[in-house]
Amino acid sequence: MFHFAQQFGRQLKRIVVSCGLYEMILDNYHYLASFKYLGIRHKCPFCGGHFSTLLPCGLSVPVLKAKQVIGGGYRLNSICPRCHSWDRERFVYLFLKTYKEYIYNKPINVLHVAPELNLSRKLRSLPYIRYTTADLYSSSVDMQMDITDIKQKNESYDLIICNHVLEHVPNDRKAMSELYRILKKNGLAILQVPISYSMERTIEDSSIESPLERLIAFGQDDHVRIYGLDYILRLRQVGFHVEVNRCSHLFSLEDIKKYGLIMDESIFCCSK
C-alpha cells in the first residue's frame, strides 16, 4: 500500500508539473507568503512588489569571505519574497532594460543558458525576441546543451546570457570559445561569474573532486574555481572584446538599495 502511494504521488507530481499547475501553485504560495514582508524600502522589477526587506541567500563559507568574492557567499536583501528573483538576475534585467533598449524593438536571437525563471519570463514575453533556453541537465528548457560542445551554427545569436555558469565548467576556456563562436558580430554576451577583485589569478585545482573539498576550496560544492582578475584575460584570449561595467557606476545608490543589487558587482559585456 505504501509503495502504491509513493508511485501515485510521483505520477501526480509529474502531471501537475507537466500541466504548469506546479508553477502556478508555487507562485500563489509565494505571493501569499510575501505579505508579511510588505513595505516601501525595496522594489522588485519583476513582480512589482514593494517590501520592507528582501530574503537572504548563500552560504557563509570562510573562503568566500577571505577572498572577498562578489556574487558568492551569504548576503542579506538578495531574494524577492514574492517571485524569488535573485539579485544577479535583477541586475542583468535592469542593465538590459536601461542600457540595451535595442532588444525591445527589433528582431534578435537570444540564447539564455541555465535560465533564471523571472528573467526568462520577461525575455520570452518580448514580441521581437526569438528566445531559446538551454541547460545541460534541466528538462524544462528548449534544448539540452553542453556549452563546451554547442551544436549550433557559427554566429547564431545576437544576445547570449550565461549567468553564474562558467564557475561550474571544468574546461571553461572551451566553453568561452564556443560562446564566442556562436555569437554574431556586433552581438553581446553577458557572462557573469562570482569573482574576487582582490586576487590577480583564478584559484582552481582539477584534483579537487569531492563536493566537500570543493565547498571548502571554492565556496560551493559544485564549483570548480574562484575567478580572479584574470577572468577578463581568459575572455579576451578566446577573442572577446570585454567591457566591465560596475553596478555602482550604472545605477544610483538609491536604486541599488531599492532593487537589492550588489554594489560591487560588475556586468561583463563581451562582444565580437
Side-chain angles (χ1 to χ4, degrees), residues 158-181:
D158 302 278
L159 173 64
I160 298 171
I161 301 171
C162 185
N163 199 356
H164 285 236
V165 174
L166 290 169
E167 68 273 15
H168 298 266
V169 181
N171 193 346
D172 64 334
R173 288 176 173 84
K174 184 67 167 67
M176 292 171 185
S177 295
E178 282 289 87
L179 294 170
Y180 178 82
R181 179 181 64 79

Side-chain angles (χ1 to χ4, degrees), residues 3-23 25:
H3 178 70
F4 173 78
Q6 278 187 318
Q7 291 291 96
F8 178 77
R10 292 193 190 101
Q11 187 63 26
L12 180 61
K13 184 176 180 181
R14 278 195 289 269
I15 294 170
V16 167
V17 170
S18 65
C19 294
L21 292 174
Y22 179 76
E23 191 173 288
I25 291 167

Side-chain angles (χ1 to χ4, degrees), residues 110 112 115 120 124 131-135 138-144:
V110 177
H112 194 173
S120 182
R124 199 180 287 280
Y131 177 73
T132 303
T133 57
D135 194 279
S138 174
S139 59
S140 61
V141 292
D142 298 316
M143 63 178 178
Q144 307 249 208

